[in-house]
Amino acid sequence: MSTRAAVSLAPGCATGAREAIRRQLAWWRLEDLGDDATLIVSELLSNAVRHGRPPWRARMWLKGGESGRRGVRLEVHDAGAGVDIERIRARWRHPSGSLLGGGRGLFIVDTLASALGNERSGHGHTVWAELESARTSAEPDPDAA
């Protein structure tokens, strides 16, 4: 995986973040990721605002994979202590587990993303999700004719 570019998204503004994501995905010719990427960032930002502490920051990175497929990494950072994604996943898998007490948004993100994780630092917590495009970088742009 190689990072080619990064885009900082509007902090604390889900609408602005969704618009910036769609614009940047169009620039990178990854429009097929638009719906999933905007839903994922909306869910992660909502969780950061609800459970974390300001400042909130969202970023999106362009990735190029060894398979020739491109994708993005979406990150949302806040200054809070964060959550343990693996513990939440274990709750989903447990026979008595339920989504009634919360976690539905992360469950959706986990379902849509090719990878989901979290990282803690001395400055807070980052939750990230990765999406991979169905198109390879070798495929021609269908709009370029």
Side-chain angles (χ1 to χ4, degrees):
M1 171 176 68
S2 63
T3 303
R4 297 186 186 188
V7 175
S8 291
L9 305 174
C13 176
T15 301
R18 286 189 296 268
E19 291 169 359
I21 287 168
R22 288 199 183 275
R23 275 194 312 273
Q24 191 60 45
L25 288 172
W27 176 258
W28 287 335
R29 296 186 178 170
L30 292 171
E31 295 92 340
D32 60 311
L33 300 179
D35 291 340
D36 290 349
T38 56
L39 177 62
I40 286 172
V41 166
S42 294
E43 288 295 336
L44 297 182
L45 277 172
S46 295
N47 283 347
V49 170
R50 183 174 182 191
H51 303 290
R53 291 192 342 230
W56 301 287
R57 182 181 67 231
R59 295 190 306 175
M60 179 170 66
W61 301 84
L62 175 65
K63 302 176 352 146
E66 292 178 15
S67 66
R69 292 187 180 215
R70 297 184 315 144
V72 293
R73 178 177 169 125
L74 304 155
E75 299 178 348
V76 172
H77 176 83
D78 71 78
V83 298
D84 183 348
I85 299 277
E86 289 307 315
R87 193 170 126 203
I88 293 170
R89 281 187 178 127
R91 191 177 73 201
W92 296 334
R93 290 188 296 265
H94 193 274
S96 66
S98 170
L99 294 175
L100 295 178
R104 289 179 299 277
L106 275 179
F107 184 78
I108 292 168
V109 170
D110 191 47
T111 302
L112 293 174
S114 57
L116 172 66
N118 62 304
E119 300 164 358
R120 293 183 184 168
S121 71
H123 304 291
H125 177 251
T126 300
V127 178
W128 56 267
E130 294 181 354
L131 291 171
E132 191 173 274
S133 177
R135 289 178 48 196
T136 66
S137 57
E139 289 181 43
D141 182 3
D143 296 328

